[in-house]
Amino acid sequence: DIQMTQSPSSLSASVGDRVTIACRASQSIRSFLNWYQQKPGKAPNLLIYDTSSLQSGVPSRFSGSGSGTDFTLTISSLQPEDFATYYCQQSYKTPWTFGQGTKVEIK
Amino acid sequence: EVQLVESGGGLVQPGGSLRLSCAASGFTFSSYWMHWVRQAPGKGLVWVSCINEDGRDTRYADSVKGRFTISRDNAKETLYLQMNGLRAEDTAVYYCARDPTTVVPLDYWGQGTLVTVSS
């Protein structure tokens, strides 16, 4: 199975900060890397698919980059509604696998 | 409006069985792969299983293979997960999710249904 490792596991940031979350795959997954946001008690919400494509309705402050095994989610200017947990996920092959999550908290 | 509504969760004893359902509406259900993803309390997301449009191609996580069976009824626009031989470690919120294409992954999710395995 492909292992997905996110870093950091948690971070504290202020409104307006630029935030970067890293995700590494244990083998090449080409561009089949997706990012989800999850708020407490809610289902995950797709933010970015295919490494850098923004899902419809997602604010442009979210962006993704990378290829092969190393990927990044960037929030250009953190907003109050962005405090949540973020997961990367590979859809290159089954079993699909998720990173362990990165919790973004208010500083 | 796309909607996915899970049901069937509850408390079950170890070794018991449960069948989850996911009722779909607002899209052409028979045209999509569908998935189950679970989340243990306070933990991360774990992919469980998926099924193709006509139900002939099914995939499972190793942790549930041989115990869980995914199926679908396209006429009823409903996805199922039959769970047998339940273990404490299967305790989780189970989400169903839609998979539009090879490139776009899980774009719509249900609200989840809680399965608790305990004596």
Side-chain angles (χ1 to χ4, degrees):
Chain A
D1 298 0
I2 299 173
Q3 307 303 314
M4 306 300 293
T5 304
Q6 285 181 237
S7 61
S9 296
S10 65
L11 65 91
S12 295
S14 301
V15 172
D17 283 354
R18 181 182 181 89
V19 169
T20 299
I21 299 170
C23 178
R24 173 166 287 177
S26 60
Q27 66 181 76
S28 176
I29 56 171
R30 294 166 53 190
S31 64
F32 292 94
L33 190 283
N34 314 299
W35 291 96
Y36 299 84
Q37 177 193 67
Q38 188 180 33
K39 296 181 179 179
K42 299 294 187 181
N45 180 50
L46 177 64
L47 297 176
I48 302 279
Y49 64 91
D50 197 32
T51 296
S52 59
S53 297
L54 200 64
Q55 173 67 352
S56 176
V58 174
S60 59
R61 63 181 179 272
F62 291 93
S63 64
S65 63
S67 67
T69 61
D70 292 293
F71 302 88
T72 300
L73 173 70
T74 299
I75 309 172
S76 60
S77 178
L78 198 65
Q79 297 302 300
E81 60 268 30
D82 300 336
F83 292 96
T85 300
Y86 294 84
Y87 294 92
C88 63
Q89 176 248 332
Q90 65 83 16
S91 51
Y92 178 64
K93 63 178 179 180
T94 57
W96 287 7
T97 44
F98 291 85
Q100 80 278 16
T102 296
K103 187 173 184 178
V104 176
E105 299 176 300
I106 301 172
K107 181 183 284 185
Chain B
E1 179 193 4
V2 172
Q3 282 200 318
L4 296 169
V5 180
E6 300 95 337
S7 61
L11 175 63
V12 61
Q13 292 188 338
S17 298
L18 216 51
R19 187 177 84 156
L20 305 184
S21 299
C22 169
S25 60
F27 65 102
T28 306
F29 179 73
S30 60
S31 298
Y32 291 81
W33 281 73
M34 297 294 296
H35 295 246
W36 288 100
V37 175
R38 70 184 181 184
Q39 186 170 36
K43 302 297 185 181
L45 301 169
V46 176
W47 178 85
V48 173
S49 181
C50 67
I51 187 168
N52 78 326
E53 297 91 333
D54 65 8
R56 296 183 185 186
D57 187 353
T58 59
R59 321 270 177 95
Y60 298 93
D62 285 346
S63 58
V64 307
K65 202 173 295 182
R67 300 188 299 125
F68 290 11
T69 302
I70 191 172
S71 63
R72 65 192 297 161
D73 185 331
N74 285 341
K76 295 183 178 180
E77 297 187 311
T78 302
L79 174 72
Y80 302 102
L81 186 68
Q82 177 67 44
M83 304 185 295
N84 298 330
L86 283 162
R87 306 166 180 167
E89 54 265 35
D90 296 318
T91 294
V93 173
Y94 285 74
Y95 296 101
C96 64
R98 187 182 84 160
D99 176 6
T101 71
T102 302
V103 173
V104 181
L106 309 176
D107 65 343
Y108 282 93
W109 297 61
Q111 83 289 350
T113 187
L114 176 62
V115 172
T116 303
V117 184
S118 175
S119 55

